[in-house]
């Protein structure tokens, strides 16, 4: 006897038929940015560590810029592309080029620590897959692979995002070899 499963809820789309998702946010990451701001504003402003009075303000501006960049991370799926965007940068992947959709974690892909993930553009290297782009806010997410560099993203609801991405990709290329969002494919679970 098979257990009836309820169908997945219909995705919420905007007026133009696009599926939008924000990135997952970490209290720890935001806390570190706030800690840096407090240190810069309270300690460096009063301490005679530098003769240039503008340095603490510049450092505070840089921290606020990175915090704004973190909070601006969004993902959009339209009829032709997956777009991962954040302040001052982004990446676009044609749906017709996507060959794999899989759950992944940065620790599994690139266990190089903080400095392996450093960089404005998000280019990283993994011993398993080579170079890949990363527009993420959390270490757990979805790896989208195509003919070019794979793209690692971390939408707030990775299961719903993978399901919608899979649905749209399958309309171009049929079933994928690895597809955690395909309801009839091999069941996948988020890593973490």
């Amino acid at each position: 006897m098979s257990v009836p499963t309820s169908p997945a809820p219909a995705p919420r789309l905007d007026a133009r038929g696009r599926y939008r998702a924000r990135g997952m946010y970490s209290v720890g990451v935001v806390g570190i940015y706030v800690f840096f701001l407090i240190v810069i504003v309270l300690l460096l402003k009063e301490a005679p560590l530098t003769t240039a009075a503008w340095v603490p303000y510049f450092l505070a501006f840089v921290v606020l810029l990175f915090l704004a960049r973190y909070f601006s991370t969004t993902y959009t799926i339209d009829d032709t592309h997956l777009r991962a965007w954040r302040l001052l940068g982004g990446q676009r992947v044609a749906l017709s080029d996507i060959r794999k959709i899989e759950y992944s974690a940065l620790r599994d892909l690139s266990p190089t620590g903080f400095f392996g993930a450093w960089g404005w553009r998000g280019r990283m290297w993994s011993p398993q897959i080579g170079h890949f782009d990363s527009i993420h806010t959390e270490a757990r997410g979805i790896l989208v692979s195509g003919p070019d560099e794979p793209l690692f993203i971390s939408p707030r609801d990775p299961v719903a995002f993978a399901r919608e991405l899979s649905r749209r990709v399958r309309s171009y290329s049929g079933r994928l070899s690895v597809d955690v969002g395909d309801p009839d494919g091999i069941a996948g679970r988020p890593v973490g």
Side-chain angles (χ1 to χ4, degrees):
M1 181 175 176
S2 66
V3 177
T5 59
S6 60
R12 294 186 316 180
L13 306 177
D14 68 9
R16 294 173 53 187
R18 296 176 299 191
Y19 182 85
R20 294 179 171 270
R22 301 206 49 84
M24 282 190 257
Y25 300 128
S26 167
V27 174
V29 171
V30 174
I32 289 171
Y33 281 121
V34 170
F35 173 76
F36 284 150
L37 281 173
I38 291 170
V39 167
I40 290 167
V41 171
L42 294 180
L43 297 179
L44 291 181
K45 187 175 181 195
E46 299 300 324
L49 296 175
T50 179
T51 57
W54 58 269
V55 171
Y57 297 104
F58 175 75
L59 292 174
F61 171 77
V62 170
V63 170
L64 286 172
L65 178 65
F66 276 98
L67 184 60
R69 191 166 190 253
Y70 179 78
F71 280 123
S72 70
T73 303
T74 57
Y75 310 104
T76 305
I77 309 169
D78 62 20
D79 293 338
T80 59
H81 290 90
L82 161 65
R83 288 180 178 84
W85 184 87
R86 61 184 167 200
L87 188 64
L88 302 175
Q91 183 77 327
R92 185 173 74 163
V93 179
L95 297 180
S96 59
D97 290 342
I98 295 175
R99 299 293 173 253
K100 292 181 182 178
I101 304 168
E102 54 193 316
Y103 296 122
S104 192
L106 282 179
R107 286 191 177 119
D108 297 335
L109 290 173
S110 186
T112 56
F114 176 73
F115 291 101
W118 192 253
W120 187 259
R121 187 161 179 257
R123 180 60 54 100
M124 298 179 73
W125 184 82
S126 167
Q128 292 89 13
I129 62 172
H131 286 96
F132 67 100
D133 289 331
S134 178
I135 299 179
H136 70 283
T137 55
E138 183 67 34
R140 294 168 287 119
I142 299 172
L143 183 66
V144 178
S145 302
D148 296 326
E149 282 83 18
L151 174 64
F152 180 80
I153 59 175
S154 58
R156 184 171 287 164
D157 184 353
V159 174
F161 192 89
R163 187 172 36 243
E164 181 62 16
L165 180 60
S166 171
R167 182 183 73 79
R168 292 186 187 225
V169 168
R170 283 182 280 125
S171 71
Y172 277 96
S173 57
R175 289 238 153 84
L176 304 177
S177 61
V178 177
D179 186 354
V180 295
D182 187 347
D184 298 326
I186 298 173
R189 290 186 4 247
V191 174

